[in-house]
Amino acid sequence: MEQKTITLNNGVEMPLLGYGVYQVSPDEAERCVADALSVGYRMIDTAQIYQNEAGVGSAVKKSGLSRDEVFIVDKIWISNFEGDAPKHSLDESLRLLGTDYIDLMLIHQPFGDRYNAYRALEDALKEGKVRAIGVSNFYPDHLIDLCHFSDIVPAVNQVETHVLTQRIEERRYMDELGVKLMSWGPLAEASSELLNNEILLTIGAAHGKTVAQVAMRYLLQRGIIIIPKSTRKERMEQNFQLFDFSLTESEMQEILKLDTGHSFVMPSHHDPEVTKMFMGFAPRKGK
């Protein structure tokens, strides 16, 4: 099936549909990524904190595909935001992935010394170690603030997005800045509230598609990049069958009504308890 792409603000072409390896164990990562590539996925999303970069890199290398055929997304974790740590951790990610460059590198959280980490990504972009840079889990105020103090506008913001949490207002600010929205958790972590939704069931029946396929097709039609995850090849194949049907405008409007207007999987990053949790990963100044 033909791959659909989206053009980032620096001209780089990125697949709209990829495969995510969040919570895929290091032992299973190589097999899962190999399966995903055999199905047809050409974007793989990993992160330093997932501890499966080596498996991702090994699968890509053994796939028989040329490096430029696979779009790799990675993320610097908050424990690597201080001083020279972003640069060193990026070099380590390149080593683990077995590649000379990463297609899109993100800073994973809007906490800690995110300005220092982002400046390191700007340098890496200029050095050719990455092709595009961005952020993850940034709310509009985080994003506006970072852009004000940066030379390069992030190409992507990866944040929880699905039919129950559609980021309508946040998307307005991203569009103003030229930042593409990338969804993690496009199925709300297989939430029963999403998978048993009557509106999605009805629309799915009309198209001969599953609820999951309808929910993800909705995001794609809104120009949102998605990275569904499954360790089962048959589910990977189902998640890949999203470009052989389209939702009507009336169906899109029905799904729009499902938006709750708030995070569903992850509590708000403005919640002080969430901040306290992430501070457990960030090294304290002078310690």
Side-chain angles (χ1 to χ4, degrees):
M1 186 175 295
E2 181 186 356
Q3 287 286 321
K4 303 295 184 182
T5 63
I6 192 167
T7 304
L8 304 181
N9 58 19
N10 65 348
V12 167
E13 290 286 322
M14 177 180 183
L16 266 172
L17 172 62
Y19 176 70
V21 295
Y22 173 60
Q23 293 183 329
V24 174
S25 71
D27 293 338
E28 276 208 297
E30 182 175 337
R31 190 268 300 171
C32 289
V33 172
D35 283 347
L37 293 172
S38 72
V39 167
Y41 292 87
R42 291 297 179 264
M43 174 172 65
I44 308 297
D45 175 273
T46 185
Q48 293 174 350
I49 193 64
Y50 302 168
Q51 299 183 332
N52 53 24
E53 293 166 301
V56 170
S58 181
V60 172
K61 185 169 292 186
K62 294 176 181 178
S63 68
L65 297 166
S66 61
R67 174 64 187 85
D68 61 2
E69 290 182 272
V70 183
F71 194 101
I72 297 176
V73 183
D74 205 343
K75 312 173 198 73
I76 293 182
W77 186 239
I78 187 173
S79 59
N80 294 320
F81 281 8
E82 295 280 340
D84 291 332
K87 178 183 183 302
H88 295 319
S89 74
L90 174 60
D91 288 341
E92 177 64 3
S93 290
L94 288 167
R95 185 189 72 79
L96 290 169
L97 289 165
T99 182
D100 295 329
Y101 67 92
I102 293 167
D103 295 279
L104 173 63
M105 196 75 180
L106 313 176
I107 56 173
H108 208 149
Q109 300 291 344
F111 300 112
D113 197 350
R114 58 185 185 262
Y115 307 98
N116 181 67
Y118 193 75
R119 283 193 293 271
L121 289 191
E122 290 181 319
D123 290 342
L125 183 65
K126 295 168 186 173
E127 294 166 4
K129 293 181 178 181
V130 298
R131 297 177 63 222
I133 60 176
V135 297
S136 181
N137 297 304
F138 274 51
Y139 284 25
D141 53 336
H142 300 138
L143 193 58
I144 293 166
D145 178 72
L146 182 74
C147 287
H148 184 80
F149 293 104
S150 303
D151 293 329
I152 299 170
V153 174
V156 165
N157 182 19
Q158 184 183 125
V159 63
E160 177 192 345
T161 310
H162 42 77
V163 297
L164 304 176
T165 305
Q166 297 187 28
R167 306 292 179 192
I168 302 300
E169 185 65 13
E170 291 96 324
R171 179 82 179 274
R172 182 169 69 83
Y173 291 101
M174 287 185 237
D175 288 346
E176 284 180 7
L177 292 166
V179 180
K180 299 300 184 186
L181 174 56
M182 184 176 183
S183 157
W184 66 255
L187 297 175
E189 304 293 292
S191 159
S192 60
E193 187 171 336
L194 187 155
L195 295 179
N196 296 323
N197 183 272
E198 289 297 331
I199 290 174
L200 299 177
L201 283 165
T202 300
I203 294 172
H207 291 276
K209 292 290 183 178
T210 66
V211 164
Q213 289 169 327
V214 169
M216 290 189 288
R217 177 66 200 185
Y218 174 79
L219 299 179
L220 292 177
Q221 284 188 216
R222 290 190 56 221
I224 297 171
I225 304 156
I226 64 172
I227 45 169
K229 185 266 293 186
S230 177
T231 58
R232 295 165 48 196
K233 188 173 182 179
E234 61 270 24
R235 186 61 54 81
M236 295 178 196
E237 291 169 342
Q238 284 184 0
N239 292 342
F240 194 71
Q241 301 302 315
L242 303 179
F243 297 107
D244 57 352
F245 76 109
S246 295
L247 300 174
T248 66
E249 183 57 34
S250 62
E251 290 169 337
M252 293 288 287
Q253 289 302 313
E254 283 297 301
I255 298 173
L256 179 62
K257 297 173 185 175
L258 301 180
D259 184 28
T260 64
H262 58 76
S263 297
F264 191 83
V265 177
M266 170 68 76
S268 170
H269 277 54
H270 292 309
D271 183 337
E273 292 302 318
V274 172
T275 302
K276 285 167 62 176
M277 178 189 72
F278 281 112
M279 289 306 98
F281 294 102
R284 296 184 66 179
K285 205 73 173 175
K287 298 293 184 180

